[in-house]
Amino acid sequence: PLSRRLACGDVEGRLDAIFGRVRAVQAKSGRFDMLLCVGNFFGSTSEAEWAEYRTGTKKAPIPTYVLGANNQDTLSYFPDVSGCELAENITYLGRRGVYSGCSGLQVAYLSGTEAQEQPAPAHSFSPKDVEELKTSLLSTPNFRGVDILLTSPWPRDVGTFANSAGEIDTKKCGSKLVSDLAASLKPRYHFAALEKAYYERLPYRNHTVLQETPQHVTRFIALADVGNTSKKKYLYAFSIVPMSSMDPAELVKQPQDVTENPYRKLRKEARPGRAEEEPACQFFFDLNKHQGKKRPSDGKERGNSQPKQAKKPPQPTGPCWFCLASPEVEKHLVVSIGTHCYLALAKGGLLPDHVLILPIGHYQSVVDLSSEVLEEVTKYKAALKEFFRSKGKRYVLFERNYRSQHLQLQVIPVPLDLCTAEDIKESFITQAQEQQIELLELPEHSDITQVAQPGTPYFYVELDTGEKLFHRIRGRFPLQFGRCVVPPARCDVTPARCDVTLTRLCCRAVLASEALLARPERADWRRCPAER
């Protein structure tokens, strides 16, 4: 059965305003089943207006369900912490729990704000409250999630991987306990308020791509305060079929704009065994020695303070050509050194500006990187995209985590007029099919660290448009696959007169043949005469 619901933000005692708006919406769009209120239902000057509803002089137009107090001033309006009827058609849900309607719709709710002291005040919730609510639901046989979650505070970090929340900083705003609750209960809709802002986040997935069975998505919606002068949206209408009544295949359909789960990153950073990046004190040379103080080699010159005992990256089992502290590294190829990563020209590159992004410490793959290193890799990618676009080029990036001990992100620029991003993607997919390699396109906003666990062999492609391809290596894999697919710069030789041995047609025939130029004579960089 299809249910039509309304949700609203902070009413703050403006009962006539919200109920008048509900009547107007129903007159235009038909009847709704209930109104769900998050945030502050009562305000500091609510008494006169509230008395008319409490005594029955006025009546809410539809069944209205509200959350409890968020401050000491409004506690007196809620006489029973377990929930009660406050007036005709107006019900206080309670401190925490689950409301199940006759249609089978499940509404989980948590009243108050996160407690900043113990014991928690009556208008706040504690970790114990959240844990008990989670346990009551997660212990249910075949639990898949709830239909709706109501909280007053926003969940912390809800804006991760998502569209902008405007003036609200989602990394500082809201409650971590609410984030934990939302991650566990997997609501299809999550409503919150208190920030006097409207924010409808892109839907996010509740499963790990390629690792877990697909699940339904969550839509987070924050609503503004009723009657605000900025005319921000405070009333949200939606239709929903209870999860228990839906066809499973229909329930787990993923919309095109779905993003990664914003709370997964928090859990992953807390995962034990994740190596932290070594401080940048390991260089055996310094390219900037004439521009400043030489970098220390052993950390003893950092001052009198006790150095932080951070875990070092895993150490190589033998000589490594890419660890920056190693004498094996060819320092004349180094272009830029950051705090955690460096940029170097490729030895035997496909093109003069073929570069590598490499971690300074010894990491085997992207999924092994600490959060600090990963952040700097992202900055390098953004800078390279801007640089290459200024030169009329786009880049293709690939990584082969197979028979290699140090992460190498190969970044190869391609002229914009030679091929489109779609051409490059199709070329990789076509070549993969010819070699019976299953190359999958990852969903937009997905993260490779959600697809592959540390130690998993894989091949990964990323275009500067954000499109990504992934292959989990389970057996043998051609080591030079990526180099054989990516096209070099356009030449001036016609296909008929080209005397270079190619696996694909020459670049002049790209548009006609819908194939990209490959360079097998440069596929294996160790055999290439360039840079030797």
Side-chain angles (χ1 to χ4, degrees):
L2 184 67
S3 299
R4 304 182 72 218
R5 310 291 162 120
L6 291 170
C8 79
D10 305 272
V11 177
E12 295 185 338
R14 303 184 186 98
L15 304 179
D16 289 343
I18 183 60
F19 292 139
R21 179 65 179 149
V22 169
R23 290 187 181 94
V25 169
Q26 290 198 124
K28 183 178 179 180
S29 305
R31 183 167 180 79
F32 284 81
D33 301 308
M34 66 170 62
L35 171 66
L36 304 170
C37 300
V38 292
N40 295 313
F41 186 71
F42 293 104
S44 56
T45 58
S46 300
E47 188 54 42
E49 200 166 322
W50 170 239
E52 295 183 293
Y53 289 88
R54 180 169 46 82
T55 59
T57 305
K58 292 182 179 179
K59 176 183 173 182
I62 59 174
T64 301
Y65 296 86
V66 308
L67 294 181
N70 296 300
N71 53 66
Q72 189 70 34
D73 295 339
T74 57
L75 269 176
S76 59
Y77 290 101
F78 304 95
D80 188 345
V81 295
S82 62
C84 58
E85 185 178 71
L86 301 178
E88 187 176 0
N89 257 2
I90 302 177
T91 301
Y92 163 47
L93 288 167
R95 186 181 181 92
R96 65 176 184 274
V98 180
Y99 171 82
S100 298
C102 57
S103 65
L105 194 76
Q106 275 198 321
V107 181
Y109 55 87
L110 180 67
S111 290
T113 56
E114 183 173 338
Q116 303 301 312
E117 58 188 32
Q118 294 297 331
H123 56 81
S124 298
F125 55 82
S126 66
K128 182 181 178 182
D129 290 315
V130 172
E131 197 59 37
E132 289 182 358
L133 178 54
K134 285 166 52 179
T135 301
S136 68
L137 284 160
L138 297 179
S139 60
T140 306
N142 303 317
F143 176 77
R144 292 182 293 173
V146 297
D147 293 298
I148 300 170
L149 173 62
L150 305 178
T151 64
S152 288
W154 290 29
R156 179 75 59 86
D157 289 305
V158 69
T160 305
F161 307 123
N163 49 314
S164 171
E167 70 274 16
I168 305 299
D169 185 351
T170 59
K171 294 185 181 298
K172 298 179 181 178
C173 151
S175 162
K176 289 185 178 180
L177 290 178
V178 172
S179 299
D180 178 48
L181 183 66
S184 298
L185 299 192
K186 303 175 184 178
R188 293 165 64 199
Y189 283 89
H190 180 182
F191 294 98
L194 294 184
E195 300 299 330
K196 300 186 183 302
Y198 170 69
Y199 174 50
E200 184 168 3
R201 189 201 187 280
L202 290 172
Y204 63 81
R205 61 177 69 91
N206 285 297
H207 65 276
T208 302
V209 178
L210 301 182
Q211 292 185 23
E212 298 175 335
T213 304
Q215 299 182 43
H216 59 274
V217 302
T218 294
R219 291 173 167 82
F220 172 76
I221 296 138
L223 296 164
D225 50 317
V226 172
N228 66 87
T229 56
S230 302
K231 296 187 177 179
K232 297 176 183 177
K233 188 169 183 176
Y234 62 83
L235 189 64
Y236 187 91
F238 65 108
S239 298
I240 184 171
V241 175
M243 188 183 301
S244 57
S245 302
M246 288 192 67
D247 175 69
E250 188 68 25
L251 177 65
V252 301
K253 279 187 176 179
Q254 306 289 299
Q256 287 189 343
D257 57 351
V258 68
T259 79
E260 190 50 74
N261 190 306
Y263 316 123
R264 283 194 189 280
K265 185 177 180 182
L266 299 176
R267 293 208 298 271
K268 190 194 309 181
E269 288 179 349
R271 187 174 62 198
R274 191 82 170 187
E276 295 180 25
E277 171 67 350
E278 182 179 16
C281 59
Q282 54 186 336
F283 308 145
F284 76 99
F285 67 93
D286 185 0
L287 294 183
N288 295 319
K289 62 183 178 181
H290 300 300
Q291 301 176 18
K293 184 179 178 180
K294 185 175 180 179
R295 305 185 190 202
S297 59
D298 58 5
K300 294 180 180 179
E301 300 173 26
R302 291 185 177 273
N304 297 324
S305 60
Q306 188 71 17
K308 182 182 178 181
Q309 297 298 317
K311 290 184 179 180
K312 295 183 178 181
Q315 296 303 304
T317 56
C320 180
W321 292 356
F322 301 105
C323 284
L324 195 55
S326 169
E328 305 289 335
V329 74
E330 302 205 31
K331 61 184 180 181
H332 67 285
L333 298 176
V334 176
V335 176
S336 165
I337 301 177
T339 305
H340 306 288
C341 304
Y342 71 100
L343 194 69
L345 292 172
K347 183 176 180 179
L350 290 171
L351 297 166
D353 43 3
H354 175 177
V355 295
L356 307 178
I357 303 174
L358 306 117
I360 290 170
H362 190 77
Y363 293 93
Q364 183 172 329
S365 69
V366 165
V367 297
D368 290 303
L369 296 180
S370 65
S371 58
E372 295 86 356
V373 187
L374 193 58
E375 181 179 359
E376 192 161 284
V377 167
T378 302
K379 290 179 179 178
Y380 264 117
K381 288 194 292 187
L384 287 171
K385 177 179 179 179
E386 183 178 354
F387 170 74
F388 285 134
R389 286 300 176 101
S390 73
K391 303 296 182 182
K393 301 176 182 180
R394 61 166 47 88
Y395 76 66
V396 56
L397 174 151
F398 64 85
E399 176 198 0
R400 171 178 52 81
N401 182 30
Y402 172 73
R403 294 180 63 181
S404 61
Q405 62 168 333
H406 193 112
L407 166 63
Q408 305 158 52
L409 291 177
Q410 307 271 349
V411 184
I412 304 170
V414 181
L416 289 169
D417 61 350
L418 175 59
C419 53
T420 65
E422 190 65 25
D423 292 331
I424 298 175
K425 183 173 70 173
E426 287 302 315
S427 182
F428 270 100
I429 293 173
T430 301
Q431 292 253 20
Q433 289 173 343
E434 290 179 1
Q435 300 188 47
Q436 297 183 328
I437 295 170
E438 186 182 23
L439 199 57
L440 303 175
E441 184 170 1
L442 299 184
E444 189 180 3
H445 306 296
S446 63
D447 184 345
I448 187 174
T449 57
Q450 301 301 322
V451 178
Q453 296 297 322
T456 302
Y458 63 83
F459 179 79
Y460 172 73
V461 181
E462 181 178 318
L463 307 182
D464 67 358
T465 56
E467 295 170 278
K468 307 175 186 73
L469 302 173
F470 175 83
H471 169 66
R472 189 188 304 279
I473 300 174
R474 292 187 169 88
R476 295 176 62 85
F477 184 81
L479 298 184
Q480 307 302 335
F481 176 73
R483 294 172 64 92
C484 288
V485 178
V486 180
R490 181 185 295 273
C491 67
D492 294 321
V493 181
T494 61
R497 298 180 61 188
C498 183
D499 57 1
V500 179
T501 303
L502 301 174
T503 58
R504 285 279 183 233
L505 294 177
C506 185
C507 50
R508 279 292 184 90
V510 166
L511 295 179
S513 64
E514 296 183 357
L516 293 177
L517 175 66
R519 292 287 294 274
E521 81 283 3
R522 295 174 70 88
D524 189 342
W525 62 271
R526 290 168 296 188
R527 299 177 184 173
C528 181
E531 307 292 348
R532 296 177 72 90

